[in-house]
Amino acid sequence: MTPTFRTSRPGSAADPSRPHVILVGLPGSGKSTVGRQVAAQLGRTFLDFDLEIERREGKSISGIFAEQGEAYFRARELALTKELQQVGNMILAPGGGWITNPDVVGLLRPPGRLIYLRVQPGTALTRLGTRRALRPLLSRPDPGAELERLYEQRRAAYETADHVVNAELYSLQRVIEKVMELASSPA
Ligand code: S3P
């Protein structure tokens, strides 16, 4: 059965012969904001993993972590990733921890292309502001230290991306432009 997703363009064709572009990076690196804008400007479909998982589960990411635990959430990410193998041409924003399982990443790449929005944990934390309360892994006494720890654990995996955009240095508009260039260039 063809899977259904609630994307930015419901009902639009998601051509399976064209690869997905997948934005990766820490929480607060701008994956969803950038992805949504890039997709809108390129006339492509955007999917935010966390929103899709929340819709399917009927509860927030924090609720899922609290009631079913992180392993259950990671299994939902895996299931969604498998379904996305059947479609293509989307701009995807998985949560920051999606990169940690190479088998999950390997479901979409190749042919999908990964773009890493690189920011330092301190910058990511500032950009998240009060929205960090929506991230269960950061709703801890010292979210700054937690984000540092996640960054150290994940940075090598993030750096395996096909492209790196310095989202620390550039303005949001410039990051969007860079990602648009990369997303529309041939592999
Ligand atoms: C997570 C990041 C979150 C969300 C969940 C776990 C992580 O997504 O998937 O809270 O492990 O870094 P964002 O990167 O969009 O905050």
Side-chain angles (χ1 to χ4, degrees), residues 86-160:
Q86 298 176 48
V87 291
N89 205 29
M90 292 186 183
I91 309 290
L92 303 175
W98 179 84
I99 197 81
T100 55
N101 186 341
D103 294 336
V104 175
V105 176
L107 292 170
L108 296 184
R109 178 181 71 165
R113 269 193 289 163
L114 259 58
I115 302 179
Y116 172 31
L117 303 185
R118 188 199 274 144
V119 286
Q120 294 304 306
T123 309
L125 194 69
T126 306
R127 289 187 187 169
L128 275 174
T130 53
R131 288 176 300 129
R132 73 163 187 258
L134 304 174
R135 270 72 176 182
L137 296 180
L138 302 181
S139 312
R140 294 184 179 167
D142 189 347
E146 201 54 38
L147 204 50
E148 283 281 353
R149 196 181 62 77
L150 294 176
Y151 179 64
E152 288 309 324
Q153 266 177 10
R154 297 174 178 172
R155 61 191 292 184
Y158 288 141
E159 296 287 343
T160 67

Side-chain angles (χ1 to χ4, degrees), residues 4-165:
T4 53
F5 314 97
R6 186 174 299 167
T7 65
S8 62
R9 302 188 329 145
S12 68
D15 183 353
S17 70
R18 299 190 59 191
H20 293 302
V21 166
I22 306 146
L23 302 181
V24 298
L26 282 177
S29 58
K31 302 180 293 289
S32 300
T33 310
V34 170
R36 193 175 295 282
Q37 299 244 17
V38 167
Q41 296 196 35
L42 295 178
R44 288 173 68 170
T45 297
F46 172 71
L47 182 79
D48 180 309
F49 275 45
D50 283 358
L51 290 183
E52 179 65 7
I53 291 170
E54 287 182 332
R55 180 182 77 81
R56 292 175 174 200
E57 296 294 307
K59 61 178 86 152
S60 66
I61 298 296
S62 298
I64 299 170
F65 270 68
E67 289 164 34
Q68 279 113 337
E70 181 171 351
Y72 178 85
F73 171 74
R74 298 295 171 206
R76 302 282 68 74
E77 284 187 313
L78 166 67
L80 177 56
T81 307
K82 279 189 180 151
E83 292 178 29
L84 287 162
Q85 286 184 299
Q86 298 176 48
V87 291
N89 205 29
M90 292 186 183
I91 309 290
L92 303 175
W98 179 84
I99 197 81
T100 55
N101 186 341
D103 294 336
V104 175
V105 176
L107 292 170
L108 296 184
R109 178 181 71 165
R113 269 193 289 163
L114 259 58
I115 302 179
Y116 172 31
L117 303 185
R118 188 199 274 144
V119 286
Q120 294 304 306
T123 309
L125 194 69
T126 306
R127 289 187 187 169
L128 275 174
T130 53
R131 288 176 300 129
R132 73 163 187 258
L134 304 174
R135 270 72 176 182
L137 296 180
L138 302 181
S139 312
R140 294 184 179 167
D142 189 347
E146 201 54 38
L147 204 50
E148 283 281 353
R149 196 181 62 77
L150 294 176
Y151 179 64
E152 288 309 324
Q153 266 177 10
R154 297 174 178 172
R155 61 191 292 184
Y158 288 141
E159 296 287 343
T160 67
D162 302 284
H163 309 280
V164 179
V165 173

